Amino acid sequence: MYLDTRYPGSIVGIVTRSQACPGALGAAYAKVTPPTLSCGRRAPLDASKRKALNELLTAFATTSGTRHGCSIR
């Protein structure tokens, strides 16, 4: 479960990553949510924005996993 009490795979329009982690009941989950527009909707993700968010999330997951001693995939 994410910190906002939603579950992986239940949220459309975000970028997620999971990683094996013995300290997180077997798996740690991380997500990046696109910014919210002034109208309250999420900003759309085109291919270049999705790629940038994937790179950011991969870097975060790798750094976090290394710091916590988790296996990196």
Side-chain angles (χ1 to χ4, degrees), residues 2-63:
Y2 295 120
L3 292 176
D4 64 7
T5 70
R6 295 187 282 181
Y7 289 91
S10 67
I11 309 165
V12 177
I14 64 167
V15 179
T16 62
R17 195 73 75 247
S18 65
Q19 186 167 323
C21 179
L25 300 176
Y29 297 96
K31 69 176 182 169
V32 176
T33 304
T36 302
L37 301 172
S38 60
C39 65
R41 294 183 307 156
R42 283 201 183 106
L45 291 179
D46 60 20
S48 65
K49 288 178 185 171
R50 184 169 290 281
K51 182 179 182 223
L53 288 177
N54 268 306
E55 290 171 359
L56 176 70
L57 193 54
T58 298
F60 171 80
T62 300
T63 302

